[in-house]
Amino acid sequence: MINLAERTDRWEQMQELWKDQPITLVRRDAIKINKTDIPDAYHAVFLKHREMLTTAKKLGEKHILIMEDDASPCKDFARHWTVIKEYLDAREDWELFNGGMLMIRDCVEKVVRIDHKDGKDPTMVLGVWRGAMAHFLYMRVDPCLEKMQEWEADGKPMFDGWYSHKMKTMASIPYLAFQRDGYSDAASQSRSWEERFKYEEDTMKFALREFMEPVPVNPQFDHVDPRQTVLRETDRAVLGFEIPKGAVWDGHGYS
């Protein structure tokens, strides 16, 4: 978790907000803006990300979870994060997962549904090619670090949108984490995000409503293996959609 040394209030708040969740926070000092080679918070955060991935690689880590100090867990965080992490850790066809990605309504190119044993509230994992925000990122260390070396050559763009353009990116509905309202170091002003996250999550749930309908029969998937919990996975082809690899939604249920 990235946190400015002087913002002890945020560190204390983060510990309280996340104390009952299945992750352990480890604080890391944020890089400070110096108005020369680090002119704004976007530069500072990106450089911290790259520093942390470099350290993770030296330690032999395959994945890293990076959070900002204004991230709050969404409802049922543990339920959704547990199966998403299992699903991602079993695969290598992704590079970055964003647990609170805005502006993805018109850029979804893959839909994966992960069912739960209780048959309620499935977890949707989405392949996307554009989006914003970076308060909850789960990254594959090697491919992400390799592509992050190109940031300077690409003109040092705002990193959150650049990530989804540069890396094989996955998002989720429901969201795992949202950014709290308050002062933004990146924008140097107070920002209100919480209603935006609620609105965009609701619109995505509506857009995905056919994928999220209750399954009419028990598909008998082995939930011990997260790869067997995929009920529908569709890849976008040049001229439309390829034949789905999993169960097909026919307007009433999955065949």
Side-chain angles (χ1 to χ4, degrees):
M1 192 274 292
I2 302 173
N3 171 243
L4 287 167
E6 62 269 23
R7 293 305 304 268
T8 56
D9 57 321
R10 284 194 173 184
W11 170 232
E12 292 170 0
Q13 186 176 22
M14 286 288 285
Q15 292 178 90
E16 180 64 26
L17 288 170
W18 291 89
K19 65 180 181 181
D20 297 323
Q21 303 301 337
I23 60 174
T24 300
L25 297 181
V26 178
R27 186 190 168 278
R28 292 289 181 264
D29 276 332
I31 294 175
K32 289 191 174 184
I33 300 168
N34 62 19
K35 299 301 182 181
T36 54
D37 56 323
I38 308 176
D40 55 44
Y42 293 103
H43 284 63
V45 174
F46 171 81
L47 293 173
K48 188 64 182 183
H49 283 182
R50 193 162 62 182
E51 174 189 297
M52 293 170 74
L53 265 76
T54 299
T55 300
K57 182 177 178 64
K58 290 178 180 178
L59 293 173
E61 299 289 350
K62 300 299 183 183
H63 305 93
I64 185 171
L65 173 62
I66 300 179
M67 297 169 60
E68 295 181 0
D69 63 4
D70 58 354
S72 289
C74 292
K75 179 183 177 182
D76 297 326
F77 170 86
R79 171 188 178 88
H80 296 292
W81 167 239
T82 300
V83 296
I84 289 173
K85 186 177 185 301
E86 289 177 341
Y87 175 78
L88 295 174
D89 288 352
R91 307 170 68 89
E92 293 187 351
D93 59 351
W94 65 283
E95 294 170 343
L96 179 146
F97 169 78
N98 189 320
M101 201 170 196
L102 298 180
M103 298 188 288
I104 60 174
R105 173 65 181 84
D106 62 345
C107 59
V108 174
E109 56 187 0
K110 175 183 285 188
V111 177
V112 177
R113 168 172 164 160
I114 302 178
D115 199 27
H116 296 264
K117 291 181 179 179
D118 61 11
K120 301 176 182 178
D121 301 325
T123 301
M124 309 303 295
V125 181
L126 311 174
V128 298
W129 51 265
R130 191 201 65 228
M133 313 307 279
H135 54 287
F136 189 100
L137 301 178
Y138 188 55
M139 309 171 82
R140 288 182 59 216
V141 172
D142 287 347
C144 286
L145 185 57
E146 180 179 353
K147 292 183 177 179
M148 290 168 85
Q149 306 309 320
E150 302 173 14
W151 181 68
E152 285 85 356
D154 285 356
K156 300 182 179 180
M158 289 186 180
F159 68 91
D160 56 344
W162 183 76
Y163 280 170
S164 58
H165 170 73
K166 201 77 175 178
M167 303 170 187
K168 296 177 183 177
T169 301
M170 307 293 282
S172 70
I173 295 295
Y175 289 142
L176 297 183
F178 64 91
Q179 282 191 291
R180 299 187 301 278
D181 294 344
Y183 185 81
S184 168
D185 294 311
S188 299
Q189 62 181 345
S190 294
R191 301 288 295 271
S192 297
W193 288 114
E194 295 179 27
E195 286 300 316
R196 173 73 177 273
F197 278 98
K198 184 178 184 304
Y199 171 77
E200 292 212 17
E201 183 181 66
D202 286 346
T203 59
M204 287 302 298
K205 285 181 177 179
F206 181 79
L208 294 165
R209 61 194 180 279
E210 291 187 355
F211 291 89
M212 300 180 74
E213 288 289 330
V215 180
V217 294
N218 186 350
Q220 299 296 325
F221 283 120
D222 177 8
H223 289 270
V224 175
D225 182 351
R227 290 167 295 184
Q228 299 303 313
T229 64
V230 179
L231 302 187
R232 175 167 176 163
E233 182 170 333
T234 305
D235 294 311
R236 186 179 297 277
V238 175
L239 299 177
F241 288 96
E242 295 177 346
I243 297 173
K245 299 179 177 64
V248 179
W249 177 262
D250 63 7
H252 304 285
Y254 288 93
S255 61

